Amino acid sequence: TPPVRALILFAHGSLLCGSGEALDAHAERLRALGLADRVAVGYLNYTEPSFAATVDALAAEGVTEVRVLPYFLAPGYFVTHALPECLDAARAKHPEIAFTVAEPMGGDPRWIDAVLEAAAAARGPQAW
């Protein structure tokens, strides 16, 4: 049988209400592109679903390959320590899934284009 591939956008999570809306929108855009059979979001802390719950749900759907996309600007603590711990637990629970990890988003040189675009569209706090 062909592999069932998934992308997980991995982020820290936040106590702020609605903080996951942007990441959910990114996940929806990736789904629309059809780059993987499944696209999901998984959080380290505070926000649901947790990374572990996301992996469990994907495993229940028969996913066999997961690429984790760290939604971080740099490979700091959460990417270099917390994510590997999450992956170790996921691999132990779901040995049928092959996991790979992409570089944090901020490492992509195209990121500067998005930063410049955001800077050009800057508005005052009244617009927030």
Side-chain angles (χ1 to χ4, degrees), residues 101-124:
V101 180
E103 293 292 321
M105 296 174 131
D108 189 319
R110 293 170 293 180
W111 184 255
I112 193 66
D113 294 333
V115 170
L116 292 172
E117 218 173 281
R123 298 171 290 159

Side-chain angles (χ1 to χ4, degrees), residues 41-99:
V41 173
Y43 294 96
L44 177 63
N45 291 308
Y46 310 119
T47 308
E48 295 294 328
S50 68
F51 181 81
T54 296
V55 172
D56 289 345
L58 293 171
E61 294 175 16
V63 167
T64 56
E65 295 178 9
V66 170
R67 176 160 298 171
V68 181
L69 307 173
Y71 193 71
F72 291 87
L73 292 178
Y77 177 84
F78 298 121
V79 173
T80 61
H81 290 83
L83 177 55
E85 290 174 5
C86 291
L87 286 168
D88 287 345
R91 286 182 178 112
K93 188 171 182 180
H94 299 288
E96 73 282 5
I97 298 177
F99 291 90

Side-chain angles (χ1 to χ4, degrees), residues 9 21-35 39 71:
L9 295 173
E21 290 175 6
L23 195 56
D24 288 338
H26 290 313
E28 188 57 41
R29 285 187 207 94
L30 289 170
R31 279 185 207 101
L33 291 173
L35 301 175
V39 177
Y71 193 71

